[in-house]
Amino acid sequence: MKTHYYLGWFNDFFPKNLSRALQEDIVDRKSLVMISSNPFLYEDDGATERSWLDQADIIFDEYYLINYRVQKEEAQVLIQNASTIFLLGGNTLNQNDFLMEYEMSDLIKKSKAVVMGASAGAINMSAKWLCSKSLGYKVEISSVYDGIGLDDFSVLSHFDLENNIALVQSELSPLSEQMNIYASNKDCAVRIKGDKIDILGKVYLISQSKIQKLDETL
């Protein structure tokens, strides 16, 4: 059964109900493979994201970080053997380029591992996402990028949504005519388990240009 976690960002640690869900879902704890969003920045080692799992008492036998220190072929083997894959937060565009360059997307889609992403990582797990100046990207022209496509929707994660509802709705309206968009800020999660979608925190659904706050189910 596929299990995917689209996370926002957590200032402290995972809430208890999220920790409990992760503990139930991550049964195989042989290896955690983290994928950098700043693969040239070697000190960006996923320590924050790993601390969330440590605090939730989810400890793995082995930890790996994929950045440019790791050869492409080795990275692909790590993904194929991973118990859990964690796409780290940071630079969405850099991570997207890295996933394409190292040909990791199809391997992640085929993997039976639990796949998690925080902020940029969650965005890149989705089917498509909008890169625009209004959403904080340093670009002049808006573009829609392909993500890994683990699930057939888009994600806007770790964005100051509450103070920018009208802007977000307007900006994402065209994409929302093609597919559902799950938008959230901090301390939020969307869990896909099989065909079931669970919501933690303030998560909004933008669909057919309309926006609504979803009820928590986790």
Side-chain angles (χ1 to χ4, degrees):
M1 183 188 298
K2 68 176 183 182
T3 307
H4 307 146
Y5 281 84
Y6 298 80
L7 307 175
W9 197 257
F10 296 86
N11 286 335
D12 297 310
F13 301 111
F14 289 148
K16 284 183 181 176
N17 42 356
L18 177 57
S19 294
R20 192 161 50 244
L22 284 162
Q23 284 169 349
E24 289 171 7
D25 289 339
I26 302 176
V27 178
D28 180 359
R29 300 185 186 178
K30 291 188 186 71
S31 68
L32 173 68
V33 174
M34 298 177 285
I35 301 174
S36 176
S37 69
N38 295 294
F40 281 118
L41 198 64
Y42 297 146
E43 59 269 28
D44 193 355
D45 59 0
T48 299
E49 290 93 330
R50 182 172 164 177
S51 75
W52 301 336
L53 291 167
D54 290 346
Q55 183 70 17
D57 199 27
I58 299 170
I59 310 297
F60 294 84
D61 296 337
E62 297 174 322
Y63 294 84
Y64 300 97
L65 172 67
I66 297 176
N67 56 24
Y68 281 123
R69 277 183 172 156
V70 179
Q71 296 298 311
K72 179 178 172 179
E73 293 74 18
E74 184 188 348
Q76 292 178 348
V77 170
L78 287 173
I79 287 169
Q80 287 170 316
N81 295 330
S83 310
T84 296
I85 298 166
F86 202 153
L87 287 90
L88 302 179
N91 190 308
T92 317
L93 278 168
N94 283 355
Q95 189 177 62
N96 191 272
D97 288 343
F98 189 44
L99 288 165
M100 301 302 166
E101 183 186 344
Y102 267 42
E103 298 179 37
M104 292 186 269
S105 294
D106 280 347
L107 294 173
I108 295 170
K109 281 182 85 166
K110 289 173 184 170
S111 173
K112 292 183 177 158
V114 174
V115 184
M116 309 168 61
S119 191
I123 293 167
N124 274 319
M125 282 167 57
S126 67
K128 293 181 184 293
W129 55 276
L130 179 68
C131 176
S132 89
K133 195 174 186 177
S134 300
L135 299 179
Y137 295 98
K138 293 176 181 175
V139 294
E140 293 304 319
I141 299 170
S142 296
S143 306
V144 174
Y145 281 78
D146 288 327
I148 295 169
L150 291 176
D151 299 284
D152 191 24
F153 54 70
S154 179
V155 165
L156 174 66
S157 176
H158 190 197
F159 187 76
D160 184 11
L161 197 64
E162 292 82 354
N163 296 315
N164 295 283
I165 288 278
L167 178 147
V168 166
Q169 186 174 1
S170 165
E171 197 72 9
L172 293 176
S173 183
L175 184 57
S176 79
E177 296 291 334
Q178 299 176 35
M179 62 179 59
N180 287 343
I181 303 170
Y182 291 91
S184 67
N185 194 359
K186 296 177 181 177
D187 302 318
C188 297
V190 175
R191 177 177 75 165
I192 308 298
K193 189 167 183 180
D195 296 323
K196 189 168 185 286
I197 300 178
D198 281 308
I199 303 296
L200 171 86
K202 291 182 182 176
V203 178
Y204 293 78
L205 173 65
I206 307 169
S207 180
Q208 302 294 313
S209 300
K210 296 185 175 69
I211 188 166
Q212 67 176 90
K213 186 174 178 294
L214 297 172
D215 293 333
E216 287 196 70
T217 60
L218 261 188

